[in-house]
Amino acid sequence: MISLTYRIAQSLSYLYLKLFHRLTIIGLENIPKQGSFILACNHASYIDPPAVGCRVNRNLHYFARDSLFVGPLGFLIRRLNAIPVNRDRMELKTLKNILAVLRNGNPLLVFPEGTRTVDGKVGPGKKGIGLLIIKAKCGVIPVRIEGANKILGKGMIIPRFGKKLTIKYGKFIDYSCFEELDKNDLQQKISDLILNKIINIEI
């Protein structure tokens, strides 16, 4: 069930992005109405998570740095479906929490590049998303966000109003597509396939 706190955050995020960044969304109809999946998106800004999730009518879960989960902020981000992660290593407990989210039928937002790019171009993918997909055996929706680096890119503190933001949700990639890949270095091959889909997104 989607919490009221999460719904409010979605609405506020959408209102801000629509008013100040002329948010355009394409392909939202590709989001499954039920069942688990991973939203795999390129990453260029801190605004990417709320932007990608603001119109997705599902109980979408996100990653957040584990050091943030203290006091009032920790309480709030838990209500916003954040999952604590150690940025230096994937702990077994974290992996179990992530898989539980997916196995309970919820979607998860993942940035395959692992970090924000400086110029907004899609960078190389890391193996982490491949590991998650192999363990969860779920499908993927590729997402490309455009313009986020110009709004609040690396090194920026204040968002630049008026810069346009576009989000494109691609077609669903069924898990069977990953089973067809060569098993040698499978995690990286899955990541590379997903990054290619993000770059050459099909609506």
Side-chain angles (χ1 to χ4, degrees), residues 108-160:
L108 174 72
L109 175 62
V110 176
F111 298 111
E113 297 156 287
T115 187
R116 292 170 296 152
T117 60
V118 176
D119 56 7
K121 295 180 180 179
V122 181
K126 298 190 176 178
K127 294 183 178 182
I129 191 170
L131 172 64
L132 289 180
I133 290 170
I134 291 169
K135 294 290 186 182
K137 293 181 170 50
C138 66
V140 174
I141 295 281
V143 185
R144 191 166 75 234
I145 188 165
E146 300 171 350
N149 66 303
K150 296 179 180 179
I151 296 171
L152 191 64
K154 269 191 173 182
M156 296 183 188
I157 299 174
I158 301 174
R160 295 182 179 177

Side-chain angles (χ1 to χ4, degrees), residues 61-72:
H61 287 64
Y62 309 78
F63 293 130
R65 193 169 65 248
D66 53 5
S67 60
L68 298 176
F69 288 78
V70 293

Side-chain angles (χ1 to χ4, degrees), residues 57-106:
N57 191 26
R58 295 291 308 275
N59 200 27
L60 184 62
H61 287 64
Y62 309 78
F63 293 130
R65 193 169 65 248
D66 53 5
S67 60
L68 298 176
F69 288 78
V70 293
L73 176 61
F75 175 80
L76 175 61
I77 61 178
R78 284 188 188 277
R79 297 288 291 172
L80 296 177
N81 295 339
I83 302 170
V85 293
N86 185 317
R87 295 184 67 178
D88 297 323
R89 64 185 184 279
M90 176 65 77
E91 298 174 338
L92 181 59
K93 180 181 178 182
T94 301
L95 180 59
K96 288 181 177 179
N97 289 339
I98 295 167
L99 294 177
V101 164
L102 293 167
R103 286 168 181 162
N104 286 334
N106 295 306

Side-chain angles (χ1 to χ4, degrees), residues 142-144 168-170 196-203:
V143 185
R144 191 166 75 234
K168 300 177 181 179
Y169 299 90
N196 182 263
K197 293 289 186 180
I198 292 173
I199 293 169
N200 303 293
I201 203 157
E202 298 179 13
I203 306 300

